[in-house]
PDB file of all heavy atoms in Angstrom:
ATOM      1  N   CYS A  28     128.299 180.240 175.689  1.00 96.00           N
ATOM      2  CA  CYS A  28     129.299 179.850 176.696  1.00 96.00           C
ATOM      3  C   CYS A  28     128.731 178.802 177.652  1.00 96.00           C
ATOM      4  O   CYS A  28     129.433 177.860 178.046  1.00 96.00           O
ATOM      5  CB  CYS A  28     129.772 181.072 177.484  1.00 96.00           C
ATOM      6  SG  CYS A  28     130.880 182.162 176.588  1.00 96.00           S
ATOM      7  N   PHE A  31     128.860 175.546 176.022  1.00 96.00           N
ATOM      8  CA  PHE A  31     130.249 175.075 176.054  1.00 96.00           C
ATOM      9  C   PHE A  31     130.559 174.401 177.386  1.00 96.00           C
ATOM     10  O   PHE A  31     131.166 173.334 177.412  1.00 96.00           O
ATOM     11  CB  PHE A  31     131.205 176.250 175.811  1.00 96.00           C
ATOM     12  CG  PHE A  31     132.656 175.918 176.060  1.00 96.00           C
ATOM     13  CD1 PHE A  31     133.377 175.177 175.138  1.00 96.00           C
ATOM     14  CD2 PHE A  31     133.292 176.360 177.209  1.00 96.00           C
ATOM     15  CE1 PHE A  31     134.717 174.865 175.359  1.00 96.00           C
ATOM     16  CE2 PHE A  31     134.627 176.061 177.439  1.00 96.00           C
ATOM     17  CZ  PHE A  31     135.345 175.305 176.516  1.00 96.00           C
ATOM     18  N   THR A  32     130.118 174.997 178.484  1.00 95.00           N
ATOM     19  CA  THR A  32     130.400 174.398 179.801  1.00 95.00           C
ATOM     20  C   THR A  32     129.723 173.037 179.932  1.00 95.00           C
ATOM     21  O   THR A  32     130.270 172.142 180.566  1.00 95.00           O
ATOM     22  CB  THR A  32     129.981 175.313 180.967  1.00 95.00           C
ATOM     23  OG1 THR A  32     128.567 175.511 180.943  1.00 95.00           O
ATOM     24  CG2 THR A  32     130.698 176.648 180.912  1.00 95.00           C
ATOM     25  N   LEU A  35     131.771 170.152 178.764  1.00 92.00           N
ATOM     26  CA  LEU A  35     132.916 169.784 179.594  1.00 92.00           C
ATOM     27  C   LEU A  35     132.567 168.768 180.670  1.00 92.00           C
ATOM     28  O   LEU A  35     133.446 168.279 181.368  1.00 92.00           O
ATOM     29  CB  LEU A  35     133.511 171.033 180.255  1.00 92.00           C
ATOM     30  CG  LEU A  35     134.015 172.103 179.290  1.00 92.00           C
ATOM     31  CD1 LEU A  35     134.469 173.330 180.066  1.00 92.00           C
ATOM     32  CD2 LEU A  35     135.130 171.572 178.414  1.00 92.00           C
ATOM     33  N   ILE A  37     130.793 169.263 183.450  1.00 83.00           N
ATOM     34  CA  ILE A  37     130.746 169.802 184.814  1.00 83.00           C
ATOM     35  C   ILE A  37     129.321 169.642 185.332  1.00 83.00           C
ATOM     36  O   ILE A  37     128.369 170.078 184.684  1.00 83.00           O
ATOM     37  CB  ILE A  37     131.162 171.285 184.829  1.00 83.00           C
ATOM     38  CG1 ILE A  37     132.598 171.433 184.338  1.00 83.00           C
ATOM     39  CG2 ILE A  37     131.014 171.880 186.218  1.00 83.00           C
ATOM     40  CD1 ILE A  37     133.027 172.859 184.106  1.00 83.00           C
ATOM     41  N   SER A  40     127.259 173.000 185.818  1.00 76.00           N
ATOM     42  CA  SER A  40     127.734 174.009 184.865  1.00 76.00           C
ATOM     43  C   SER A  40     126.757 175.171 184.696  1.00 76.00           C
ATOM     44  O   SER A  40     127.175 176.298 184.476  1.00 76.00           O
ATOM     45  CB  SER A  40     128.039 173.375 183.510  1.00 76.00           C
ATOM     46  OG  SER A  40     126.862 172.887 182.909  1.00 76.00           O
ATOM     47  N   LEU A  43     127.338 178.137 187.219  1.00 92.00           N
ATOM     48  CA  LEU A  43     128.588 178.890 187.229  1.00 92.00           C
ATOM     49  C   LEU A  43     128.298 180.384 187.124  1.00 92.00           C
ATOM     50  O   LEU A  43     127.425 180.803 186.362  1.00 92.00           O
ATOM     51  CB  LEU A  43     129.475 178.478 186.052  1.00 92.00           C
ATOM     52  CG  LEU A  43     130.094 177.099 186.118  1.00 92.00           C
ATOM     53  CD1 LEU A  43     130.806 176.796 184.810  1.00 92.00           C
ATOM     54  CD2 LEU A  43     131.052 176.993 187.281  1.00 92.00           C
ATOM     55  N   PHE A  45     129.756 183.632 185.830  1.00 97.00           N
ATOM     56  CA  PHE A  45     130.780 184.262 185.001  1.00 97.00           C
ATOM     57  C   PHE A  45     130.181 185.465 184.288  1.00 97.00           C
ATOM     58  O   PHE A  45     128.971 185.629 184.213  1.00 97.00           O
ATOM     59  CB  PHE A  45     131.368 183.255 184.000  1.00 97.00           C
ATOM     60  CG  PHE A  45     130.400 182.778 182.956  1.00 97.00           C
ATOM     61  CD1 PHE A  45     130.343 183.381 181.715  1.00 97.00           C
ATOM     62  CD2 PHE A  45     129.553 181.703 183.206  1.00 97.00           C
ATOM     63  CE1 PHE A  45     129.460 182.934 180.741  1.00 97.00           C
ATOM     64  CE2 PHE A  45     128.666 181.242 182.249  1.00 97.00           C
ATOM     65  CZ  PHE A  45     128.613 181.857 181.006  1.00 97.00           C
ATOM     66  N   ASN A  61     135.057 186.298 181.290  1.00 98.00           N
ATOM     67  CA  ASN A  61     136.032 185.768 182.250  1.00 98.00           C
ATOM     68  C   ASN A  61     135.807 184.268 182.496  1.00 98.00           C
ATOM     69  O   ASN A  61     136.391 183.696 183.404  1.00 98.00           O
ATOM     70  CB  ASN A  61     135.953 186.527 183.569  1.00 98.00           C
ATOM     71  CG  ASN A  61     134.647 186.284 184.315  1.00 98.00           C
ATOM     72  OD1 ASN A  61     133.652 185.870 183.731  1.00 98.00           O
ATOM     73  ND2 ASN A  61     134.641 186.544 185.601  1.00 98.00           N
ATOM     74  N   LEU A  62     134.972 183.641 181.694  1.00 98.00           N
ATOM     75  CA  LEU A  62     134.633 182.230 181.882  1.00 98.00           C
ATOM     76  C   LEU A  62     135.864 181.324 182.033  1.00 98.00           C
ATOM     77  O   LEU A  62     135.857 180.449 182.897  1.00 98.00           O
ATOM     78  CB  LEU A  62     133.728 181.731 180.750  1.00 98.00           C
ATOM     79  CG  LEU A  62     133.327 180.260 180.810  1.00 98.00           C
ATOM     80  CD1 LEU A  62     132.584 179.931 182.105  1.00 98.00           C
ATOM     81  CD2 LEU A  62     132.496 179.889 179.588  1.00 98.00           C
ATOM     82  N   PRO A  63     136.930 181.504 181.243  1.00 98.00           N
ATOM     83  CA  PRO A  63     138.084 180.613 181.434  1.00 98.00           C
ATOM     84  C   PRO A  63     138.667 180.659 182.848  1.00 98.00           C
ATOM     85  O   PRO A  63     139.108 179.622 183.363  1.00 98.00           O
ATOM     86  CB  PRO A  63     139.095 181.125 180.398  1.00 98.00           C
ATOM     87  CG  PRO A  63     138.233 181.693 179.315  1.00 98.00           C
ATOM     88  CD  PRO A  63     137.107 182.348 180.059  1.00 98.00           C
ATOM     89  N   PHE A  64     138.649 181.804 183.499  1.00 98.00           N
ATOM     90  CA  PHE A  64     139.148 181.897 184.868  1.00 98.00           C
ATOM     91  C   PHE A  64     138.237 181.143 185.841  1.00 98.00           C
ATOM     92  O   PHE A  64     138.709 180.469 186.750  1.00 98.00           O
ATOM     93  CB  PHE A  64     139.291 183.361 185.304  1.00 98.00           C
ATOM     94  CG  PHE A  64     140.405 184.076 184.610  1.00 98.00           C
ATOM     95  CD1 PHE A  64     140.137 184.950 183.568  1.00 98.00           C
ATOM     96  CD2 PHE A  64     141.720 183.866 184.980  1.00 98.00           C
ATOM     97  CE1 PHE A  64     141.164 185.606 182.924  1.00 98.00           C
ATOM     98  CE2 PHE A  64     142.758 184.516 184.336  1.00 98.00           C
ATOM     99  CZ  PHE A  64     142.481 185.391 183.299  1.00 98.00           C
ATOM    100  N   VAL A  65     136.943 181.251 185.633  1.00 97.00           N
ATOM    101  CA  VAL A  65     135.981 180.540 186.477  1.00 97.00           C
ATOM    102  C   VAL A  65     136.141 179.033 186.295  1.00 97.00           C
ATOM    103  O   VAL A  65     136.172 178.275 187.269  1.00 97.00           O
ATOM    104  CB  VAL A  65     134.536 181.000 186.157  1.00 97.00           C
ATOM    105  CG1 VAL A  65     133.514 180.165 186.890  1.00 97.00           C
ATOM    106  CG2 VAL A  65     134.356 182.482 186.482  1.00 97.00           C
ATOM    107  N   LEU A  66     136.265 178.599 185.052  1.00 97.00           N
ATOM    108  CA  LEU A  66     136.415 177.175 184.769  1.00 97.00           C
ATOM    109  C   LEU A  66     137.753 176.620 185.248  1.00 97.00           C
ATOM    110  O   LEU A  66     137.844 175.450 185.618  1.00 97.00           O
ATOM    111  CB  LEU A  66     136.259 176.906 183.270  1.00 97.00           C
ATOM    112  CG  LEU A  66     134.851 177.068 182.709  1.00 97.00           C
ATOM    113  CD1 LEU A  66     134.866 176.903 181.198  1.00 97.00           C
ATOM    114  CD2 LEU A  66     133.879 176.099 183.353  1.00 97.00           C
ATOM    115  N   SER A  67     138.779 177.444 185.248  1.00 96.00           N
ATOM    116  CA  SER A  67     140.103 176.953 185.658  1.00 96.00           C
ATOM    117  C   SER A  67     140.093 176.472 187.101  1.00 96.00           C
ATOM    118  O   SER A  67     140.794 175.519 187.445  1.00 96.00           O
ATOM    119  CB  SER A  67     141.172 178.023 185.457  1.00 96.00           C
ATOM    120  OG  SER A  67     141.046 179.058 186.401  1.00 96.00           O
ATOM    121  N   LYS A  68     139.276 177.088 187.930  1.00 92.00           N
ATOM    122  CA  LYS A  68     139.159 176.654 189.326  1.00 92.00           C
ATOM    123  C   LYS A  68     138.461 175.293 189.414  1.00 92.00           C
ATOM    124  O   LYS A  68     138.838 174.443 190.206  1.00 92.00           O
ATOM    125  CB  LYS A  68     138.407 177.695 190.140  1.00 92.00           C
ATOM    126  CG  LYS A  68     139.158 178.997 190.269  1.00 92.00           C
ATOM    127  CD  LYS A  68     138.341 180.061 190.937  1.00 92.00           C
ATOM    128  CE  LYS A  68     139.082 181.381 190.886  1.00 92.00           C
ATOM    129  NZ  LYS A  68     138.265 182.497 191.292  1.00 92.00           N
ATOM    130  N   LYS A  69     137.433 175.117 188.596  1.00 92.00           N
ATOM    131  CA  LYS A  69     136.676 173.855 188.601  1.00 92.00           C
ATOM    132  C   LYS A  69     137.472 172.711 187.985  1.00 92.00           C
ATOM    133  O   LYS A  69     137.394 171.580 188.438  1.00 92.00           O
ATOM    134  CB  LYS A  69     135.372 174.018 187.814  1.00 92.00           C
ATOM    135  CG  LYS A  69     134.332 174.822 188.508  1.00 92.00           C
ATOM    136  CD  LYS A  69     133.367 173.864 189.123  1.00 92.00           C
ATOM    137  CE  LYS A  69     132.202 174.613 189.716  1.00 92.00           C
ATOM    138  NZ  LYS A  69     131.646 173.890 190.828  1.00 92.00           N
ATOM    139  N   LEU A  70     138.210 173.018 186.920  1.00 94.00           N
ATOM    140  CA  LEU A  70     138.888 171.977 186.153  1.00 94.00           C
ATOM    141  C   LEU A  70     140.364 171.829 186.526  1.00 94.00           C
ATOM    142  O   LEU A  70     141.025 170.934 185.993  1.00 94.00           O
ATOM    143  CB  LEU A  70     138.787 172.290 184.657  1.00 94.00           C
ATOM    144  CG  LEU A  70     137.377 172.418 184.079  1.00 94.00           C
ATOM    145  CD1 LEU A  70     137.430 172.912 182.642  1.00 94.00           C
ATOM    146  CD2 LEU A  70     136.658 171.076 184.158  1.00 94.00           C
ATOM    147  N   THR A  71     140.847 172.708 187.401  1.00 94.00           N
ATOM    148  CA  THR A  71     142.285 172.783 187.729  1.00 94.00           C
ATOM    149  C   THR A  71     143.132 172.722 186.451  1.00 94.00           C
ATOM    150  O   THR A  71     144.019 171.891 186.302  1.00 94.00           O
ATOM    151  CB  THR A  71     142.720 171.700 188.746  1.00 94.00           C
ATOM    152  OG1 THR A  71     142.467 170.408 188.204  1.00 94.00           O
ATOM    153  CG2 THR A  71     142.004 171.855 190.066  1.00 94.00           C
ATOM    154  N   LYS A  72     142.794 173.619 185.546  1.00 96.00           N
ATOM    155  CA  LYS A  72     143.459 173.710 184.247  1.00 96.00           C
ATOM    156  C   LYS A  72     143.821 175.171 184.008  1.00 96.00           C
ATOM    157  O   LYS A  72     143.136 176.079 184.490  1.00 96.00           O
ATOM    158  CB  LYS A  72     142.494 173.199 183.165  1.00 96.00           C
ATOM    159  CG  LYS A  72     143.075 173.031 181.799  1.00 96.00           C
ATOM    160  CD  LYS A  72     142.059 172.388 180.853  1.00 96.00           C
ATOM    161  CE  LYS A  72     142.568 172.353 179.439  1.00 96.00           C
ATOM    162  NZ  LYS A  72     141.575 171.808 178.503  1.00 96.00           N
ATOM    163  N   PRO A  74     143.880 178.778 182.684  1.00 98.00           N
ATOM    164  CA  PRO A  74     142.815 179.543 182.034  1.00 98.00           C
ATOM    165  C   PRO A  74     143.106 179.882 180.574  1.00 98.00           C
ATOM    166  O   PRO A  74     142.175 179.993 179.772  1.00 98.00           O
ATOM    167  CB  PRO A  74     142.695 180.807 182.885  1.00 98.00           C
ATOM    168  CG  PRO A  74     143.891 180.851 183.736  1.00 98.00           C
ATOM    169  CD  PRO A  74     144.429 179.469 183.832  1.00 98.00           C
ATOM    170  N   ILE A  77     142.017 176.931 178.557  1.00 98.00           N
ATOM    171  CA  ILE A  77     140.545 176.923 178.486  1.00 98.00           C
ATOM    172  C   ILE A  77     140.068 178.005 177.526  1.00 98.00           C
ATOM    173  O   ILE A  77     139.147 177.778 176.730  1.00 98.00           O
ATOM    174  CB  ILE A  77     139.928 177.109 179.886  1.00 98.00           C
ATOM    175  CG1 ILE A  77     140.288 175.924 180.773  1.00 98.00           C
ATOM    176  CG2 ILE A  77     138.410 177.277 179.783  1.00 98.00           C
ATOM    177  CD1 ILE A  77     139.967 176.111 182.233  1.00 98.00           C
ATOM    178  N   LEU A  81     137.668 177.498 174.400  1.00 98.00           N
ATOM    179  CA  LEU A  81     136.435 178.278 174.292  1.00 98.00           C
ATOM    180  C   LEU A  81     136.416 179.071 172.989  1.00 98.00           C
ATOM    181  O   LEU A  81     135.388 179.129 172.308  1.00 98.00           O
ATOM    182  CB  LEU A  81     136.290 179.214 175.503  1.00 98.00           C
ATOM    183  CG  LEU A  81     135.096 180.157 175.501  1.00 98.00           C
ATOM    184  CD1 LEU A  81     133.788 179.378 175.434  1.00 98.00           C
ATOM    185  CD2 LEU A  81     135.129 181.052 176.732  1.00 98.00           C
TER     186      LEU A  81
END
Side-chain angles (χ1 to χ4, degrees):
C28 286
F31 170 76
T32 63
L35 300 175
I37 298 171
S40 66
L43 289 174
F45 66 95
N61 68 340
L62 179 59
F64 290 102
V65 173
L66 289 175
S67 72
K68 294 173 187 170
K69 287 260 186 209
L70 301 172
T71 60
K72 189 174 174 183
I77 296 169
L81 176 59

